[in-house]
Structures are given as structure tokens and as C-alpha cells.
Amino acid sequence: MIFLRVFPVLFLCLFGATTVLADRFITIGTGGVTGIYYPAGAAICRMVNRHRSEHGLRCSVEATGGSIYNIRSVRRGELDIGVTQSDWQSHAYSGKKLFQRDGAWPGLRTLFSLHSEPLTIVARRDSGIRLLDDLKGKRVNIGNPGSGTRATMETLMKVLGWQESDFAIAAELKAAEQSQALCDNKLDAIAYVVGQPSGAIKEATTSCDSVIVEVAGPAIDRLLAENPYYAPAVISAGLYNGTDHDVKTFGMKAVFVTSDQIPDDVIYHVTRAVVGNLADFRRLHAAFSFLKAEEMISAGLIAPLHPGAIRYYREAGLISEQEAAGSECCQN
Ligand code: GLU
């Protein structure tokens, strides 16, 4: 009798205060292992798993083909969270461009954005490529299908009026393979939409003599004017070997996305692990050093915030009750 009376009290003391999810496995889809999505996802999982006893989440990271693959896999329920470029997040939400056949996805939700990702084109110095137009007739890696890089390169080719046949070779190597192929003289130029500084671009500019190519001109100005998720960007002088002047290009944000089918508790804990420990997170990669919570919850986000993320932002005082009510009201 005494046991029966004491047990519920004991149970409440042990588990009552927090919501304990019974060992739920979640997977974050990222990109190639030499990119920034992958270490970002790995770091986030470590931060989530550190508090496993509180919430029961077991987070694991998966190396993937990149943005497009991640969005489609989250939509199919094969990944819980994915990282994507903000341009493709926007098209997936509205069912445009590459996502026309998939149709609009009103259930797409966001957690936060991270760093900016400039389109970075690197060419062998001996190829003579210095400007965008010089890429014509050359051996260029336009990125693996499934990557945001490839999708953005196709957008770029379209505004320039180029076809794949305008290149001597339009290769489809993965990001992790392209720097070596450039330095082995199998390619004249490579492209990567990636945060800076990037280890892969460092490899391409230190293992052989190569330069960063300017991505500018009237077609790019039009692209920026017509698409709010694109912004002008600069690869700073001296960031990479061989390029001692600022190089103009354009870029967008890396965004963490999920589906409205993922429970609020899961997204709440992942969001809290990152945004609630931002000082630690910033130290993990130079590309994260300037992250600010206020920007992460607005810049580059086109699909609505997930209610689990809103719960954390409200609790942390990052959004007001009114703003939270506004986002919740209009999500469906
Ligand atoms: N933005 C790239 C893509 O979606 C991935 C960059 C990275 O892995 O850091 O293909």
C-alpha cells in the first residue's frame, strides 16, 4: 500500500518536469564530407545528443548529395531534417523550377538559417579563365545531380543563355572529388556553393596553381534583382592562395528545414541545442563566427518556422507572443 502511494510521487519527481521522448532516432541530411553542411549537422547532433537523458532524442548525421536530395528526402519522410540553400527552399515550397513536377509543398517548415554560401568558381591558372564568359569551351564541373550547387549552376546557365554543350566537358563530379580532379588537370574549373572559408576550396587553391573567378555582369544583376533570396557576395582578398584581390560573386543562406509532420518536441530540442548554445556553436567553424540569433530566425527563411522552433524562440524571448501567434496563424 505504501509503495503504491509513494510510486507515483517518485515517478513524477523523476520524469514529471520535462517531456521525455522515448528514444526517438532522428537523422539530419547534409552534403559532401568536405563541405560545411556535414560538419554543421555533425556538430548539431553532438549538441542534441549531449542532452539525450532529458529528451530521448538520438541524432545522427548523414552525408548526402546536397540541397535538392535533402529537400526531397525530408518530404518523403526519409530524413527528419535537412540542410538546403535558401533558393531551393523557396522553389520547393512553391513547387517551381526543379520542383515543378514535385508540386508545391505547403508542409515545408524551417528551423533557422546559418552561414552565407557564395557561388565559388575556381579555375586552373593555366586555363586562362578569369571571368565567367571564359568558362565557355572549357572543362567545367557543374556539380552532382541532387546538389544545390548543380541546381544553381543550371539557373546561372539559363540566365546566361548557355547549354551544357557550351562547355568542352560538363562534368558531374561530387563536391568531395572535384578539387583533386582540378589539380590532376582533368578539369579547367570547378563550382561550389559553399560557406567561407571552405576546406575544399583551400585544397583546390593550395594543391595546384588556381584562381577564384569573378561571377558578375548584367545577367547576374538581373538574377539578383529578380530573386530576393540571392545577394551580392565577395570572396575576400587573400582568403585563398593565388587570389589577392576581392572577387565578386553572389550567394544565399544555408537553411535547416523539416516537415510539418515532425513533432514539435523534436524540433524544439534541436533548435534549443543550437540557438541556445550559440556561443559554443560559433566556435565550431570560421563560417559560423558571425552568426546572430536574430538573423538566424529570419534571414533566408521563406517557408514558415516549425511550431517547435517557434516554441523555443518565444521561450528565449527572440520573438514576441504576437509574432509567434502571427506565424502560427498563417502556416496552414
Ligand atoms: N550548398 C551545397 C549544396 O547544396 C552544399 C554545401 C556544403 O555542403 O557545405 O550542394
Side-chain angles (χ1 to χ4, degrees):
M1 283 308 272
I2 288 173
F3 174 75
L4 278 181
R5 252 180 285 137
V6 169
F7 182 72
V9 176
L10 195 69
F11 184 85
L12 270 178
C13 291
L14 286 175
F15 304 110
T18 50
T19 325
V20 179
L21 306 171
D23 269 9
R24 185 188 158 119
F25 291 82
I26 57 162
T27 308
I28 302 181
T30 58
V33 289
T34 58
I36 297 183
Y37 289 4
Y38 182 77
I44 290 172
C45 277
R46 274 198 308 276
M47 293 169 106
V48 170
N49 291 339
R50 210 180 284 156
H51 299 282
R52 182 178 291 162
S53 57
E54 277 171 42
H55 50 55
L57 290 179
R58 289 173 182 269
C59 182
S60 64
V61 69
E62 198 177 288
T64 73
S67 293
I68 310 297
Y69 175 94
N70 295 340
I71 290 177
R72 291 205 167 115
S73 304
V74 172
R75 187 170 186 172
R76 284 197 295 263
E78 291 160 9
L79 288 171
D80 303 281
I81 295 171
V83 198
T84 181
Q85 296 173 198
S86 48
D87 47 352
W88 297 104
Q89 164 220 197
S90 169
H91 300 316
Y93 187 55
S94 56
K96 295 213 178 103
K97 309 247 175 168
L98 205 61
F99 292 101
Q100 206 156 357
R101 267 203 254 145
D102 308 57
W105 180 19
L108 177 62
R109 293 290 175 269
T110 51
L111 285 78
F112 44 76
S113 58
L114 287 183
H115 54 289
S116 297
E117 302 190 85
L119 168 60
T120 313
I121 300 187
V122 187
R124 295 176 60 86
R125 192 182 296 275
D126 60 13
S127 70
I129 303 169
R130 298 294 179 270
L131 302 169
L132 207 47
D133 254 357
D134 304 331
L135 289 172
K136 276 188 158 180
K138 296 292 202 285
R139 302 166 299 166
V140 182
N141 191 42
I142 58 171
N144 62 288
S147 67
T149 298
R150 170 61 173 273
T152 302
M153 279 302 280
E154 279 174 3
T155 304
L156 177 70
M157 286 161 61
K158 208 164 183 182
V159 298
L160 292 166
W162 295 1
Q163 316 282 324
E164 282 187 21
S165 55
D166 284 314
F167 301 121
I169 294 177
E172 300 191 313
L173 293 183
K174 289 185 190 159
E177 297 161 350
Q178 61 176 353
S179 300
Q180 168 125 35
L182 181 81
C183 289
D184 287 348
N185 202 10
K186 293 186 177 126
L187 294 168
D188 296 309
I190 59 172
Y192 202 7
V193 175
V194 69
Q196 309 287 326
S198 145
I201 302 299
K202 273 214 167 112
E203 186 195 336
T205 49
T206 49
S207 306
C208 57
D209 194 9
S210 55
V211 295
I212 310 286
V213 178
E214 183 177 278
V215 183
I220 307 302
D221 294 342
R222 265 199 318 277
L223 188 71
L224 295 184
E226 286 164 12
N227 298 290
Y229 37 75
Y230 289 139
V234 166
I235 316 258
S236 306
L239 188 60
Y240 299 111
N241 250 3
T243 304
D244 53 10
H245 58 281
D246 283 353
V247 179
K248 279 196 221 163
T249 183
F250 72 95
M252 70 300 288
K253 288 278 179 192
V255 179
F256 273 68
V257 298
T258 186
S259 146
D260 62 354
Q261 302 302 304
I262 304 296
D264 294 3
D265 264 351
V266 170
I267 300 302
Y268 167 83
H269 287 294
V270 174
T271 307
R272 192 174 78 164
V274 179
V275 185
N277 292 296
L278 207 49
D280 288 346
F281 190 76
R282 276 195 213 104
R283 280 195 285 272
L284 295 170
H285 196 287
F288 305 150
S289 19
F290 302 106
L291 291 179
K292 288 193 195 78
E294 298 72 24
E295 254 182 64
M296 290 168 71
I297 66 174
S298 59
L301 307 186
I302 287 129
L305 286 168
H306 189 283
I310 293 177
R311 189 174 126 204
Y312 175 70
Y313 298 143
R314 189 161 42 189
E315 192 179 285
L318 289 164
I319 56 178
S320 65
E321 294 294 324
Q322 217 175 3
E323 284 167 318
S327 349
E328 271 164 28
C329 86
C330 306
Q331 282 182 3
N332 296 313

